[in-house]
Every structure is written in structure tokens, then in C-alpha cells.
Amino acid sequence: MEKLVIRGGRPLRGKIEISGSKNAALPIMLACILVDGPVLYRNVPRLRDIFTTLKLLRILGCSAAFTDEAGHEVAAEAGALMPEAPYDLVCTMRASVLVLGPLLARLGRAKVALPGGCAIGARPVDLHLKALERMGARFDLDSGYIVGTCAELRGADITFDFPTVGGTENLLMAASLARGETILRNAAREPEISDLVNFLCACGAEISGEGSDTLHVRGVSSLRGCAYSIMPDRIEAGTFLTAAAITGGELFLENCPAEALNAVISKLESMGVGFERNPEGLRVRSGASLKSAGVTTRPYPGFPTDMQAQIMALMTRAEGSSTVEETIFENRFMHVPELGRMGADIELSGSRAVIRGGRPLIGAPVMASDLRASASLVLAGLAAQGETQVRRIYHLDRGYEHIEHKLNAVGADITRLEDR
Ligand code: EPZ
């Protein structure tokens, strides 16, 4: 396993280019299962989860690979499809459950390992299954696998109990090739959903309501290949905005999807961070001092749960007490004890955290537990006095492309080492 050794206290200054979005690329690449013909994806980030997705597509009978060793283009094409997504893959990446909709739509059957929980919670898929049953699918549980069958998916009027991101994505893909019209109500509105809608429409799907919580899908008989560029990663961008603020620096983020970050930007502004938007990207400069704030995570366009750990690290540097209420996942405070090892004063009660700022962070060995908790520890290490070692950084590599290269290029001092 590897670790990052971070020597903190250095303000970040310079320019960072934002990579393609992991959470847009995963469903959009899996959607190639629906398509007759070759698809060329551009701006695909080179991340662990992307390589896992390519492996999964090949197991399912598709050709799928980066077009060269270092680039960001992926060529994919559905071949003679197989219905099974095996456990050893699904357990490393929950998003594998997103093959359910496409396989049922193309093959009429699917066998997908039930995604176990993960560090941030149980994360069931009951909303996906209930909605697909409304379209005529039947599911059995067979020794840890979801086995789905349907003679033909039929359009349905579906209301989600909760605006589930993955559930909305699975149903959008299933409905694109179903017979008749599907309405998805209380659908998730995350920008990555809009990117998936735009990709499916580029392949010939008939979907309206993009960006709203009600999506109308008129099923078509087939989808054709196309070339498509993945949207920039708003969570990577939000993480780097926070890095500038926590180190007292100034960064220019190229290809920053500022429109998709309004909740994060306005919260950081309330803490005293300055922003300047322009067509090429977003400039962020830290304020003279940081004010405390209150954050409650919400489905989009509310404050994203994927930025909760990162802003909590920043709050340790603010004057006074800040609060965080996590409403999306039941166990997304794994970063708290690790921040505590660095001197942070954070008190937890249920889904609420109170962060008392003003004390310096002191570098220490800390353990990553999930993707965004890892990012929070890196941010704390950048601001801390002395040296921080963040271990088990395979979590980090799932969602950040060359994070230490990007941060070192703007003044950080980070080394990646084998963790013996
Ligand atoms: C997506 O996960 C993202 N992952 C997550 O990002 C993100 O945190 C999450 O959306 C919320 O924005 C990808 O896009 C690959 P949900 P997903 O279905 O689809 C419960 C990251 O850091 N739920 O909206 O799993 C579920 O347990 C990752 O990049 C059910 O109860 O999110 C959770 O508490 C982490 N039943 C909540 O809803 C269901 O059938 C949100 O889940 C589905 C979900």
C-alpha cells in the first residue's frame, strides 16, 4: 500500500486544470451497453474507479479501453453481452450496480452482485429495484446476487421515495430502450445526471426535463454510437477551492464547473473566501481570516455530501464554532477521529458535528477510510504544522487524478511512498 507524506504550512499559488468527472464518467461509460456501435469518450479521468469500470465492461462482453497510455480518451463498443457483474468487482465499486438498467434493457436479464455497504453506510439499492419492477422487471436474491429478468421493459410513471442519484441513472438508462413513455418523479438533479441525459440524447434517446426533478423518457428501439466529452469534476474542483482557502493561498482552476458548485462557492464566500469567475475558469483567493459557518448536506442543488469532509477540515481553521449536519449518509464522519489526531476539536452527536476552530493543526500519521475522508486529511495536512502521513491512499486514487502532482505544481510539498 502507499502513503502520502505532506509537509504543511505552504500557501498554494498557481493554476490547476480540473479533470473529467468520475461520477459522470461511470454511468456514461456503462451506458455504452445500450448502444449499437462504437462510442468515443473524451475528458475521461485516469482513476482507479474508471479502470474498474473498463474491466467490468470487458467482463460483460464490451470492448473498452483508453486509446493510449497517457490520454483521456476511451473507445468502447458493446459486443456479445454477458449478463453477470461478478462480486469481486462490484465489492470494489458500488457503482457497478448501474449495469442493471442497461442489461435488462438489452438482454432482458441481469445478475449483479449485491453491492455490500461501504465505509460511509449500508447504501442499499431498494429504490433501484422497486422502480425497475414498475417497468416489468422481476428480481430474486440468489446467494448475494440480484438476479433480474424481464421479457420487455415497459414505460411507467415512477416516483422515487428519495432523489437517488444511482437510482435515477439506472432508470434513465433502462427507460431509454423501454417500450412507451417513462416519467421519473422526485428524480435526482445532480449535474452528473444532466451529463448522462445529454450523452443518451446524443445517442438518439428522447429525454426531456434535464436539470429538473421530473424526467420524461420516450423509449426508442435502438441507440447509435457517438463521440462525447465528459463534464469537469465539480467535487475535485471543490476540493481544490478548499485547498486554496485552508492554506491561505490563491488558485486559478481551469475548466472549473462553477455553475455546478454554487452551494459550495456561496458557503466558502460566507467564510470570507473570495472568487472571480471568468469563461476559462474560476479564481479563488483565501480571506485574511476564516469565519465559522453551518453546513447541512442536501441533494443537489443543496450543499453536496461529497464536499462535507473537505469543508469540515477548513472549519477547523475558522474562528469560533461551525456545524455540519450530514443528512445523506448515515456514517460519513470517518474523517473526524483522524482530524482529531491532528489537534482538531470536533464533537459528534448523531448526524451532527460541532467544529471548534482556532487551534492549530499539527501534522500526524492518519488513516484514510473512504474517498472524501482521504481528501479531507490531505487538506488538513496542507495546513498543518509539520509532517502528516496519510495512509491507505488507494481510497484517494479512486477519485483524484495525480492529486499530489497537481498540488505540488502549485507549491505543496507532498511525496508518495510505499507504506511498509
Ligand atoms: C452517488 O452515490 C455518488 N456516487 C456518491 O459519490 C454521492 O455521495 C451520492 O451519489 C450522493 O450525491 C456516484 O455517482 C458513483 P444515492 P449513490 O443513490 O448513487 C440511500 C463519491 O464520493 N439509498 O443518491 O449511491 C443511500 O443509502 C461518492 O464520489 C437507498 O436507501 O447515491 C444513501 O444514504 C460517494 N436506497 C442515499 O440514499 C437506494 O436504492 C444517497 O444515495 C439508493 C440509495
Side-chain angles (χ1 to χ4, degrees), residues 13 29 82 88-89 111 147 223 248 271 326 339 402:
R13 294 196 195 297
M29 286 168 60
M82 308 287 289
D88 64 342
L89 257 182
K111 186 178 177 189
V147 181
L223 295 175
M271 295 178 76
E326 172 57 61
L339 290 172
H402 306 314

Side-chain angles (χ1 to χ4, degrees), residues 72-279:
H72 294 89
E73 279 191 0
V74 164
E77 181 167 4
L81 290 172
M82 308 287 289
E84 181 169 339
Y87 176 69
D88 64 342
L89 257 182
V90 174
C91 70
T92 64
M93 186 181 73
R94 274 190 89 266
S96 310
V97 74
L98 293 175
V99 302
L100 261 184
L103 287 175
L104 288 172
R106 285 302 301 267
L107 281 184
R109 58 200 171 98
K111 186 178 177 189
V112 181
L114 198 58
C118 66
I120 61 180
R123 302 180 74 187
V125 290
D126 54 314
L127 303 179
H128 300 231
L129 303 184
K130 215 162 76 174
L132 287 166
E133 283 170 347
R134 301 265 299 111
M135 297 184 72
R138 287 289 163 266
F139 295 101
D140 292 308
L141 267 192
D142 175 8
S143 44
Y145 278 78
I146 305 166
V147 181
T149 51
C150 69
E152 179 185 49
L153 285 173
R154 295 184 309 278
D157 190 332
I158 295 163
T159 300
F160 286 112
D161 294 346
F162 174 86
T164 157
V165 171
T168 303
E169 291 166 343
N170 242 332
L171 271 292
L172 272 171
M173 293 189 279
S176 295
L177 290 182
R179 173 185 292 280
E181 181 175 9
T182 297
I183 303 175
L184 300 178
R185 302 179 196 275
N186 195 27
R189 296 170 52 193
E190 271 66 6
E192 294 76 23
I193 304 269
S194 297
D195 214 24
L196 175 60
V197 169
N198 293 336
F199 169 72
L200 291 170
C201 291
C203 296
E206 293 181 16
I207 304 171
S208 59
E210 180 261 318
S212 81
D213 65 358
T214 305
L215 298 167
H216 290 255
V217 187
R218 182 179 304 285
V220 294
S221 54
S222 69
L223 295 175
R224 60 182 179 279
C226 71
Y228 190 79
S229 189
I230 303 292
M231 69 172 280
D233 193 313
R234 63 188 169 108
I235 304 300
E236 183 198 27
T239 304
F240 289 136
L241 294 180
T242 313
I246 204 170
T247 59
E250 176 173 338
L251 291 174
F252 182 75
L253 302 189
E254 276 182 340
N255 298 335
C256 177
E259 276 316 298
L261 276 168
N262 286 331
V264 174
I265 290 170
S266 60
K267 190 55 69 178
L268 291 174
E269 278 173 334
S270 77
M271 295 178 76
V273 183
F275 292 92
E276 194 186 306
R277 297 178 192 227
N278 76 35

